[in-house]
Amino acid sequence: MNSYITVKQENHFSPILLSIPHSGLEIPEGIQVRINLNAKRIHTDWEMHTFIKDFPFTSIFSKLSRYIVDVNRSKYTFKTSILPIIPRYDEVGIPLFKQYPSKNLQNEWIAKYYIPYYDAIFEQIKLRERNFSKICLLDLHSYDDKYFKTDKIILSTRNGTTISKESFEFIVDCFKKEQLSIQVDTPFKGGNIIHEISKQSNIEAIQIEIPYSMYLCEKKLDKNKLENIQEKLLNIFLKMEEFYTNF
């Protein structure tokens, strides 16, 4: 297994898989000389891997900073996309690298850090396909609600293309019963992970974005807030597990 990808395998076998692609902070030693120390890296999904560490579901976590290789971008459009796999600029336009990597080096990084993340997800899916007719990937993120006109949990489905209407209605109802306010597909429609993983007919995927104010204080877990939101989300995920087990 790639040293920058952690698969936390649970004995509890489930049709629910968790993906945490953006809470990593690590920068490989060979890349550190290239980074611009003046650039900001503020839109990290701080502590999301810690947030779910006691949940009884297998999780796949990238330890690599999203500002080196972003595993939630599309490899098919990186030549023209304003959001390439290897980002060029921080949130205010400062270059992230003193020297942006060449095409050959970009391909090396993609092969080393990007493709293995998807391989790890598909490996876990393959392990479950004999036991479950339908599997659901929950791609977990967070966002700084100071910069957006909402502080709700965002459920992203790429306009309903990554999950069935029946499944999504069930999930929305679960959030309502836990009295958690949600928005759908705005301001985030969902990234490449849920797009790519849901191409298989037996796989559904949804991106879940939790506002910083709901669980963080200065980039650290806020114990006063944490217990409430963890309990509610765990209840939702367990209900989803039962739903997908009964397909």
Side-chain angles (χ1 to χ4, degrees):
M1 175 59 65
N2 187 297
S3 62
Y4 287 94
I5 298 171
T6 296
V7 177
K8 183 174 175 284
Q9 183 79 54
E10 292 292 343
N11 293 329
H12 174 75
F13 209 55
S14 174
I16 301 297
L17 283 172
L18 308 182
S19 162
I20 305 96
H22 284 164
S23 68
L25 298 174
E26 295 188 25
I27 300 173
E29 186 175 354
I31 298 177
Q32 289 177 14
V33 295
R34 286 181 169 270
I35 67 168
N36 178 7
L37 296 177
N38 294 320
K40 308 298 183 184
R41 294 165 178 82
I42 59 175
H43 286 169
T44 297
D45 296 349
W46 307 102
E47 299 286 358
M48 277 305 298
H49 60 294
T50 311
F51 182 100
I52 56 90
K53 72 179 180 65
D54 294 324
F55 284 22
F57 306 104
T58 292
S59 60
I60 300 97
F61 160 52
S62 175
K63 295 189 288 184
L64 187 77
S65 169
R66 68 182 294 183
Y67 292 94
I68 303 300
V69 172
D70 189 335
V71 297
N72 202 28
R73 304 301 179 202
S74 171
K75 67 180 179 179
Y76 302 110
T77 60
F78 76 93
K79 290 182 179 179
T80 57
S81 175
I82 60 170
L83 296 171
I85 289 174
I86 300 169
R88 290 181 176 272
Y89 306 103
D90 71 5
E91 290 78 9
V92 295
I94 298 173
L96 289 162
F97 299 95
K98 289 183 283 190
Q99 182 181 13
Y100 193 73
S102 66
K103 291 293 184 184
N104 285 339
L105 195 53
Q106 289 177 49
N107 289 332
E108 286 182 23
W109 291 5
I110 289 169
K112 188 172 183 179
Y113 305 116
Y114 179 90
I115 294 173
Y117 192 81
Y118 290 83
D119 289 344
I121 293 175
F122 281 116
E123 181 179 350
Q124 292 303 316
I125 287 173
K126 189 174 182 180
L127 290 173
R128 286 158 174 75
E129 286 180 323
R130 293 181 182 178
N131 298 82
F132 304 104
S133 60
K134 190 77 75 172
I135 298 162
C136 185
L137 178 80
L138 306 180
D139 196 44
L140 305 180
H141 298 253
S142 61
Y143 72 99
D144 192 343
D145 38 319
K146 290 187 301 185
Y147 294 95
F148 297 90
K149 295 178 180 179
T150 182
D151 59 359
K152 296 180 181 180
I153 293 175
I154 313 299
L155 303 183
S156 303
T157 66
R158 293 178 73 97
N159 294 323
T161 61
T162 67
I163 190 169
S164 69
K165 183 179 179 181
E166 176 192 5
S167 299
F168 188 65
E169 286 177 351
F170 176 82
I171 292 168
V172 168
D173 187 59
C174 288
F175 275 86
K176 287 181 179 178
K177 287 178 178 176
E178 293 294 335
Q179 297 183 317
L180 290 174
S181 296
I182 61 169
Q183 284 185 198
V184 179
D185 286 322
T186 182
F188 312 112
K189 292 187 180 297
N192 190 64
I193 291 172
I194 62 170
H195 170 69
E196 196 67 28
I197 299 305
S198 66
K199 286 180 178 179
Q200 295 180 223
S201 61
N202 63 327
I203 312 298
E204 296 188 331
I206 186 169
Q207 183 172 302
I208 301 175
E209 296 260 4
I210 301 172
Y212 284 4
S213 64
M214 195 170 281
Y215 79 106
L216 290 177
C217 179
E218 299 298 326
K219 302 179 184 177
K220 300 295 182 183
L221 295 176
D222 186 322
K223 293 181 180 180
N224 294 325
K225 299 176 181 178
L226 197 59
E227 186 174 335
N228 179 55
I229 182 61
Q230 280 181 319
E231 181 180 359
K232 288 176 179 289
L233 281 180
L234 180 56
N235 287 340
I236 291 169
F237 294 175
L238 289 171
K239 289 175 184 175
M240 290 177 62
E241 177 183 59
E242 183 178 0
F243 175 83
Y244 279 96
T245 298
N246 292 328
F247 253 93

